[in-house]
Amino acid sequence: MKIRLWLLLSLFVTAATWLYVYRILGPWRHYVNVEIGTMKADLGDLYTPWVASRELLIYKRNPYSPEVTHEIQMAFYGRVITQPPGASAEAAVDEQRFAYPVYAIFFLAPTVHWTFAAVQTWVLVVLALLTASGVLLWFDTLHWLPSWPAIAAVVLFVLSAPPVIQGLRLRQLGLLAGFLLALAAWCVSRNYLWTAGVALALSTIKPQMMVLPLLWFLCWALGDWRKRWPLIAAFSCTLAALVGAGELMLPGWPRYFLEGLQAYRKYTYRPPLFELALGNIAGVILSGAVFIGLLALAWHNRKETGDSRQFTMTLAIFLMASMLTMPLLPLFNQLLLILPALIVLRDWESLRAPARYAFIALLAWPSVTSAVLLFLFSPRSYPSSRILLLPSLLSLFLPFILPLLLIRRHNLGIPASTDNGDIQQLPGN
């Protein structure tokens, strides 16, 4: 009965949140950005890399060039963007530059002859399927396989979480990188090190998301080089092939990419969460201390096997540290927290009631507020404030709360074995 209730609850959550997105949030975004804003069309995060792929692969044009950037800006704004002198990142207009490594175009190569409307539709389906598949891979990596209704409930909760909703709505390639990271961790747990190395290399299409997780995989591989060298070999060879193929397509692309990143930081840079919460100096000091702690933790656990609890726990810590110390403020980057959240669920019985209630509140908040706002507002009846962003509010605190929950779980002790557990390990049981 409890399994069925959880599945029904997850269906309600999914229906409420996605109905809210399509009936209220989406039209409101269009109203704010296009009807009363500066945009000609709100095309999401996919349009720029798709145009870059088409221009390079079909017309042999440099996707980092001002000419291609201006064409993209015309589609977004109907004009070429010129930043005001001395404009801060908060006041600057997003220039919509192509800010990926050039080999990201290989993922979009099959779509360059499609219409953008078709690309939007199919990429949404593909990214949703990859995200759901990534959750299943994380389950297996943790050696935690509840009954299928419990797994289905968790997958639906993930697909209706504000970070994933934002990523899907924008068609963010970060969701693809998140799946590749889950695939790499699963391959390591099964000792498929060659495949893991390939997946990690492909995930570098989002380097700012992957830099700290890659550091842990590197330290782990060095912990037993004689057995684990295929991971580094596959990663290095695949990355070299990607960089080399990009060089053949666009000679000198790393220089264009780095120049674009420098410009990109001027109009989109948001400080890491530590700096945002504590200020620049304190935030940098704490980030440095966390980085040193990560290196010590990685070195301490470098000899653990790939299918051990210590391996996945260390990876989870690196993922949480990425959210706190790297400039990953956009909400969709929180897909890195799927693994830590699943560990909290797996070890649910080791949490005291206050910690459980806090986590349940985080899970319930988006759907409850979405349902309330659906009742209060109808399409075109928009409030003047940003109250319609309320469902995402508590998600901003998740990177701070999850580490506390995991520390609390550790202090209370972990059950001797939760492998192949059932729904009793989910909240409320």
Side-chain angles (χ1 to χ4, degrees), residues 405-416:
L405 291 175
L406 290 175
I407 291 172
R408 189 63 177 164
R409 172 203 61 94
H410 177 73
N411 287 341
L412 288 173
I414 301 173

Side-chain angles (χ1 to χ4, degrees), residues 27-326:
W28 176 75
R29 287 280 189 184
H30 183 269
Y31 172 75
V32 170
N33 292 330
V34 178
E35 296 185 28
I36 64 172
T38 60
M39 284 188 171
K40 176 183 176 183
D42 189 359
L43 300 171
D45 288 355
L46 183 64
Y47 185 78
T48 296
W50 177 73
V51 169
S53 303
R54 186 187 61 185
E55 293 299 313
L56 179 57
L57 295 176
I58 298 179
Y59 304 109
K60 312 303 179 185
R61 300 176 68 191
N62 182 353
Y64 302 102
S65 67
E67 293 78 15
V68 172
T69 299
H70 291 166
E71 290 182 14
I72 295 171
Q73 291 170 353
M74 291 297 294
F76 272 93
Y77 303 105
R79 61 187 176 90
V80 174
I81 297 300
T82 302
Q83 302 290 1
S88 64
E90 290 76 13
V93 180
D94 189 342
E95 296 180 12
Q96 305 295 340
R97 292 172 180 261
F98 178 59
Y100 291 86
V102 75
Y103 50 81
I105 68 171
F106 299 139
F107 289 97
L108 293 172
T111 70
V112 295
H113 293 288
W114 300 359
T115 65
F116 185 63
V119 174
Q120 287 268 69
T121 300
W122 284 105
V123 167
L124 173 64
V125 174
V126 170
L127 290 178
L129 290 174
L130 289 178
T131 302
S133 300
V135 176
L136 300 180
L137 290 172
W138 286 128
F139 267 112
D140 201 41
T141 301
L142 291 170
H143 307 295
W144 180 40
L145 298 176
S147 57
W148 73 263
I151 294 176
V154 172
V155 170
L156 289 173
F157 270 113
V158 170
L159 291 177
S160 58
V164 174
I165 285 178
Q166 185 190 67
L168 291 174
R169 185 176 58 82
L170 297 174
R171 278 58 165 183
Q172 238 298 324
L173 293 182
L175 295 178
L176 171 60
F179 165 77
L180 291 168
L181 177 63
L183 176 62
W186 179 83
C187 288
V188 167
S189 72
R190 295 302 184 96
N191 204 35
Y192 303 146
L193 299 186
W194 287 100
T195 307
V198 172
L200 288 174
L202 294 175
S203 73
T204 59
I205 59 170
K206 296 289 288 187
Q208 69 275 30
M209 289 177 62
M210 294 299 128
V211 58
L212 287 186
L214 285 172
L215 179 61
W216 162 234
F217 280 101
L218 172 62
C219 290
W220 177 81
L222 294 176
D224 191 351
W225 177 256
R226 186 173 60 85
K227 294 180 179 179
R228 300 171 183 171
W229 67 267
L231 177 70
I232 302 299
F235 173 80
S236 302
C237 291
T238 303
L239 188 59
L242 291 171
V243 172
E247 187 68 20
L248 290 175
M249 296 292 299
L250 181 66
W253 75 263
R255 175 172 60 86
Y256 300 129
F257 173 60
L258 293 176
E259 290 175 352
L261 282 185
Q262 292 177 354
Y264 183 79
R265 286 173 57 87
K266 294 178 181 178
Y267 61 84
T268 63
Y269 179 73
R270 299 293 184 271
L273 284 174
F274 273 161
E275 293 185 35
L276 198 63
L278 303 174
N280 291 342
I281 297 177
V284 169
I285 293 174
L286 185 55
S287 295
V290 167
F291 183 74
I292 294 172
L294 288 175
L295 291 179
L297 178 67
W299 187 253
H300 177 74
N301 291 334
R302 70 190 187 282
K303 294 187 179 297
E304 299 292 342
T305 60
D307 62 349
S308 66
R309 282 178 176 269
Q310 290 80 3
F311 177 88
T312 52
M313 190 63 213
T314 304
L315 177 57
I317 292 171
F318 271 74
L319 295 176
M320 291 185 291
S322 296
M323 288 302 308
L324 294 170
T325 63
M326 302 294 290

